[in-house]
Amino acid sequence: MLGSVDLGSFLGPEVTCGGLPEAMSEEALLHLLGDHRADLALPNTGCRGQEQFLPPYARAAARMRAAGASCRMPVHAERFALPVSDKVAFHRIAGERGWPVPRGVVCTDGRTLARAVAGLGFPALVKEARSEFGAGRHYVRDRGHLDRVSAEVTYPVVVQERVRGEEFAVEFLSGPTRTVAWPVASLGRLDGDCAPGRRVRVAPAALPAAAAGELAATVADMVAAFGPLGPWQMDFAVTDDGRLRVFELNGRLSGVSNMSWASTGTDPHVAYARTALGLAPPLPRAERIALELPVPGGAVLPAGPEGTEVMPHPGTPANRGPWEGGYHRPVLTLPAGRAEAARAWLRSLPPGVLLNSADEAAAQLRRGLDGLRQGSGLQP
């Protein structure tokens, strides 16, 4: 296991740990794999810096295959690695393919950015083309804010209209012959903070019929045209008038993996490793409600009612978000029959335990119960 931080305290003694070089490149990767005489190389694209390395990973894997190397590297092909790591490329490809994305404009400097925002209106969302997860997104509210963002961003950027509706996410795993999906997760109502991890989130979540049909058709086209191989994820919204709007793709598993695991009992990360070893992707099915409850740092979420489970998810050395963000995101897992007990438990929690209100948590619990009853499966 090679990483940019010391993982020894987190992994078992049977795992040998080493460091990645400070400057990674396609050539450095090939030398690294040769030096370690690797049989299988599996990138963890959830680590900082790795998401933007997907195109070089793809090129390195193609070179190893062409040279007949014994090391296998099951990664996304470059034609898929580009749109999942570059938001400008994704926006342009979405226009060519007819994917339902928000109205937007690609901008290369401050002047074109100002014109684009003037055409779309305030507020607008500005996204840098290549950025790490949790960064490079700016919700521009007024002219003064636009001037600051215009001077700070790295161009090119995509400017998108504000979308009013509910935000969702879904995780996929593509093998050589099939792609499977975990349950759709609701990330709550879109707001101006661009921080869905601070909201109460739930899986599964049912979609309106029209949006579900658009989603299935869009995913099928992505798989057929770009042939992903490995984990990927989509952020999207359903507008207040029931239409699908795809925000972005990511070539990795995401922050909803804990809910994907809790809802189905199938850990997406374990499934990813198993497919890399040549096994077929599983068929995850929602069996329980997974309710993610942001809790302020220092607060303790008590045990849930009988028949439920609280999964703490405190973070790892490679993902310090729960330690550094001032809050962490435990997941309450429950079968449909314990929804009423869970609702009463939420309302009994002392003030300050939840980052958000018990009313928001209860509303998302109801969404999860509806999703479990109606089904939110998506199998492209």
Side-chain angles (χ1 to χ4, degrees), residues 1-7 18-22 24 47-50 317-318:
M1 176 71 74
L2 305 180
S4 55
V5 296
D6 182 8
L7 298 170
L20 286 169
E22 290 187 10
M24 283 291 286
C47 293
R48 292 209 174 271
Q50 294 293 286

Side-chain angles (χ1 to χ4, degrees), residues 40-42 72-76 172-180 182 228-232 253 266-284:
L40 174 68
L42 194 63
R72 291 195 304 110
M73 194 173 179
V75 296
H76 299 306
F172 303 93
L173 180 60
S174 294
T177 60
R178 76 180 183 197
T179 291
V180 300
W182 272 261
L229 181 63
W232 52 293
L253 295 171
T266 301
D267 184 343
H269 294 274
V270 173
Y272 174 29
R274 289 172 62 84
T275 59
L277 296 173
L279 301 174
L283 292 172

Side-chain angles (χ1 to χ4, degrees), residues 217-365:
T218 302
V219 171
D221 187 66
M222 291 173 176
V223 171
F226 294 91
L229 181 63
W232 52 293
Q233 181 259 346
M234 179 192 293
D235 291 325
F236 64 97
V238 175
T239 64
D240 288 340
D241 60 355
R243 301 305 304 271
L244 180 75
R245 290 293 179 265
V246 179
F247 292 146
E248 62 184 57
L249 298 178
N250 298 293
R252 54 170 168 80
L253 295 171
S254 70
V256 302
S257 288
N258 293 336
M259 289 188 290
S260 295
W261 176 17
S263 178
T264 65
T266 301
D267 184 343
H269 294 274
V270 173
Y272 174 29
R274 289 172 62 84
T275 59
L277 296 173
L279 301 174
L283 292 172
R285 292 286 185 268
E287 298 176 350
R288 294 168 296 278
I289 300 166
L291 184 69
E292 189 179 73
L293 299 165
V295 173
V300 177
L301 193 63
E306 183 179 355
T308 71
E309 180 184 4
V310 175
M311 304 171 71
H313 299 302
T316 73
N319 178 14
R320 300 181 62 87
W323 300 339
E324 297 175 347
Y327 64 99
H328 57 104
R329 303 197 299 257
V331 175
L332 175 68
T333 307
L334 62 144
R338 299 301 294 161
E340 192 57 44
R343 190 175 294 110
W345 174 79
L346 288 168
R347 299 198 181 283
S348 73
L349 294 174
V353 171
L354 298 178
L355 188 67
N356 306 290
S357 70
D359 288 341
E360 180 183 345
Q364 285 293 73
L365 176 59

Side-chain angles (χ1 to χ4, degrees), residues 14-276:
E14 72 280 6
V15 179
T16 301
C17 296
L20 286 169
E22 290 187 10
M24 283 291 286
S25 67
E26 183 181 332
E27 293 295 336
L29 174 62
L30 291 170
H31 285 302
L32 191 67
L33 296 177
D35 290 345
H36 284 275
R37 299 189 300 276
D39 298 311
L40 174 68
L42 194 63
N44 177 6
T45 50
C47 293
R48 292 209 174 271
Q50 294 293 286
E51 187 170 358
Q52 292 304 314
F53 205 58
L54 280 170
Y57 272 133
R59 292 192 292 270
R63 286 176 61 179
M64 286 193 295
R65 286 193 297 271
S70 59
C71 178
R72 291 195 304 110
M73 194 173 179
V75 296
H76 299 306
E78 190 171 8
R79 65 180 183 275
F80 188 71
L82 181 61
V84 300
S85 61
D86 187 316
K87 296 176 181 60
V88 167
F90 170 74
H91 179 79
R92 288 173 171 156
I93 290 171
E96 294 167 2
R97 305 293 305 182
W99 299 339
V101 296
R103 285 192 306 136
V105 181
V106 175
C107 303
T108 56
D109 54 36
R111 183 177 300 176
T112 55
L113 175 57
R115 285 203 302 265
V117 173
L120 294 171
F122 290 108
L125 190 64
V126 177
K127 297 180 178 179
E128 297 178 33
R130 300 181 69 86
S131 59
E132 291 294 331
F133 53 87
R137 296 168 184 80
H138 309 271
Y139 190 81
V140 179
R141 298 171 178 81
D142 53 41
R143 180 69 202 200
H145 191 193
L146 173 62
D147 291 341
R148 293 195 300 275
V149 168
S150 177
E152 294 171 0
V153 297
T154 300
Y155 293 93
V157 300
V158 177
V159 184
Q160 290 182 336
E161 66 177 340
R162 177 190 181 183
V163 174
R164 291 177 172 82
E166 186 172 0
E167 190 171 5
F168 296 88
V170 60
E171 294 185 310
F172 303 93
L173 180 60
S174 294
T177 60
R178 76 180 183 197
T179 291
V180 300
W182 272 261
V184 171
S186 166
L187 310 188
R189 182 81 183 173
L190 284 163
D191 55 35
D193 292 331
C194 298
R198 296 181 64 89
R199 309 178 203 141
V200 178
R201 313 194 296 188
V202 70
L207 300 175
E214 284 186 280
L215 178 62
T218 302
V219 171
D221 187 66
M222 291 173 176
V223 171
F226 294 91
L229 181 63
W232 52 293
Q233 181 259 346
M234 179 192 293
D235 291 325
F236 64 97
V238 175
T239 64
D240 288 340
D241 60 355
R243 301 305 304 271
L244 180 75
R245 290 293 179 265
V246 179
F247 292 146
E248 62 184 57
L249 298 178
N250 298 293
R252 54 170 168 80
L253 295 171
S254 70
V256 302
S257 288
N258 293 336
M259 289 188 290
S260 295
W261 176 17
S263 178
T264 65
T266 301
D267 184 343
H269 294 274
V270 173
Y272 174 29
R274 289 172 62 84
T275 59

